[in-house]
Amino acid sequence: MQNIAKMITEQLRNPNELDISLRMEFGPFETVHKWKRMSECYEFVGARRSKHTAVAYKDAIYVFGGDNGKSMLNDLIRFDIREKSWTKTGCMGTPPAPRYHHSAVVHRSSMFVFGGYTGDILANSNLTNKNDLFEYKFQSAQWVQWKFTGQEPVPRSAHGAAVYDDKLWIFAGYDGNARLNDMWTVNLVGDNRQWERVEQKGECPPTCCNFPVAVARGKMFVFSGQSGAKITNALFQFDFESHTWSRVCTEHLLRCAGPAPARRYGHTMLAHARHLYVFGGAADSTLPSDLHCFDLDTQMWSVVQPSVDSQIPSGRLFHAGALVGDAMYIFGGTVDNNVRSGDLYRFQLSNYPRCTLHEDLGRVLRSEQFCDVTLLVGSEPTAVLAHQAMLAARSACLRAKIKEAREELAERIAAGEVKPTEAYNYKAQPELVIKLPEATPEAFRMVLTYIYTDRIDPTEKDENPASPATIQLVMEVLRLALRLNIPRLRGLCARFLRANLCASNVLKALHAAHHSNLNCIKEYCLRFVVKDYNFTPIVMSKEFEEMEQNLMVEIIRRRQQPPPKQPATASEYDEEIQGTTLEQDMCVFLGGGAELSDVVLRVGGVARPAHRSVLAARAAYFEAMFRSFSPRDNVVNIQICDTVPSEEAFDSLLRYIYYGETNMPTEDSLYLFQAPIYYGFTNNRLQVFCNHNLQSNVSPENVLAILQAADRMHATDIKEYALKMIAHHFGLVARQDAIKNLAQPLLVDIVLALAEESQYDTPLPLQPRSLASSSSADTITDDPEYTRHRVCK
């Protein structure tokens, strides 16, 4: 047995990765998601402006053109990231004429400026759009205008520009008479200087101007902008290889995602890692200052919460943004009262690997590995396999059914009616059986998907979210959510139905709601039918003729005498989002699911009950172990590489496995740094958080614990840093009771560090810095059950 375990361990390890030394670069670190106001651009360098462009090249930001409220500009100013200072940029050659609403992109060592609006604003003369293309060579500080043969794009301003595959791509804009949505491209390398019109396919965005574009993963993204009557807050993507547009549509997904930003224009959108960041702009006559983020992996919008020490910029439009490393810079723009700004703000972006909790649990459901319960679903029973731990964590009703089934099975085994099978034999059908005759298999499988992943897609078979079949399926899921007491899923289904009800499906929805006793949906359907602009076409339809007589009567009576309006106590939307998330439920279950545990994890002399299905879903180490053999006495001894972690660090590891928690004491981060590699997690998210936690949070208050952990983990560089901090702040550290419990070799190390203190010429930071969470999966809301279990820990 031990040989098998050793073989599995060696298969999961990558010796080259496990031998990596934990190297830290200690120094000043910016808090994640922090806004910081940088040096203002003073008038003697460059005017305050809007409608300009900003690009990043190496460690500097270059701002070109715009207007200062009185005249157009064509100066080029530079902000040095390291020096944190503004300078005018000298140049050779003839620069572009003063302009605004142009575009600027960087390709290799050059900036390319295209189009824009030129002329004399005050005199209202020579105002015209341009289609010229200028190259600014950073290394020689030289402007060069490109000359073309053949057809060219019409002159335009307020368009979008991007670089991909050594080509400049120009999209949409305003030509002085109308908004456009054509696309042109030109090679930026070689001698073939000819514009080529791109034949666009798919669902192209409407004609628009004053919108940003961003390039990520071989696609160009366009969000909102001025589109006249067709203005929208939709996100579109253009595939550069197939020349095909598609709308990024996520409304059909049942999950509690944040809404898309309000429709707007004059905003910025920048791509960083797997995210698109949208800031500012004019949104329905307001100038919002919130920052929105779209995750390309999860296809979800969210509002980025700034850190508490942020200097948040005021709302603005026609500003410009650029990325340098992991920071976003926003410069200028038009603020309240039509005032031009010369402010520069820096926003520290996060670059954490995504949380894979939902994906991991969804994968173990689809694979049907380690299933320990069979659900017989429907009047003609269909067997569906699942895991007791997940069902019990997400539904109190299912937890009660599991308890009843376990008691019944134990009684049958005691009476000799059933012969017990080998424990944890995952190759055989699970002995535990739960009957759900009131559910349909298709709807229950969707509920099961939600239980494991917090989301479902009801349009997998029928792509139309408003089709009668899809509406009926969602209503069945809603009925099951009520039956199984899953309030959040109930709210998501109700919101989906309200968003997709239309004249062609409302009568079937009304019929289904009536027979399923879904009174809230029935009431909403009745209100929809009796509205003035819906009533006549609906009652004249064939579907209305075939309706049950009692529903016909109810509709006619509702039309003739609507019920009195009740005073609103809470909005319908607020009711929909009640309930707990996957993370919250798993947090509570970790502290209260011992009765369903099927494995014990032991660290030193401490034992923790756990659940095989959750461990196997999250870590390849446990998956391989449980698939190959059952541990002796059903106990697994926990270690990370050759080190046994502390009890506190192990609890931090369990919190990460069960619900993705990444906030932990700094000393725990040292123990868990190599855990993602050793246990085979899906990605190195935990390692990144441990790294950041160590770099930013070592302080005199916790340095003794860090020293002990570093000595235990043989992390030489961390130990040396801890000794330096102790020597620098020995007066503070020496007063702590913990120093009395240090082993003698560590006390000797401290004495040697004190002897060498004179070699250290710069003090180390006194105050620890907090590490902000990077996504909703890292932050659990103040649910009472969650808070109670956290306090118990």
Short mmCIF file of all heavy atoms in Angstrom, two decimals, residues 77 124 556:
data_model
loop_
_atom_site.label_atom_id
_atom_site.label_comp_id
_atom_site.label_asym_id
_atom_site.label_seq_id
_atom_site.Cartn_x
_atom_site.Cartn_y
_atom_site.Cartn_z
N ILE A 77 3.59 65.07 -25.45
CA ILE A 77 4.17 65.16 -24.11
C ILE A 77 4.36 63.76 -23.56
O ILE A 77 3.68 62.81 -23.96
CB ILE A 77 3.30 66.01 -23.17
CG1 ILE A 77 1.88 65.46 -23.09
CG2 ILE A 77 3.28 67.46 -23.62
CD1 ILE A 77 0.99 66.22 -22.12
N ASN A 124 -14.33 78.72 -36.08
CA ASN A 124 -15.24 77.82 -36.79
C ASN A 124 -14.89 77.73 -38.28
O ASN A 124 -15.75 77.79 -39.15
CB ASN A 124 -16.70 78.27 -36.61
CG ASN A 124 -17.68 77.18 -36.99
OD1 ASN A 124 -17.37 76.00 -36.91
ND2 ASN A 124 -18.87 77.59 -37.43
N ILE A 556 -59.59 37.81 -18.69
CA ILE A 556 -60.58 38.83 -19.04
C ILE A 556 -60.96 39.64 -17.80
O ILE A 556 -61.08 40.87 -17.83
CB ILE A 556 -61.82 38.18 -19.67
CG1 ILE A 556 -61.43 37.56 -21.03
CG2 ILE A 556 -62.95 39.19 -19.85
CD1 ILE A 556 -62.51 36.73 -21.66
#
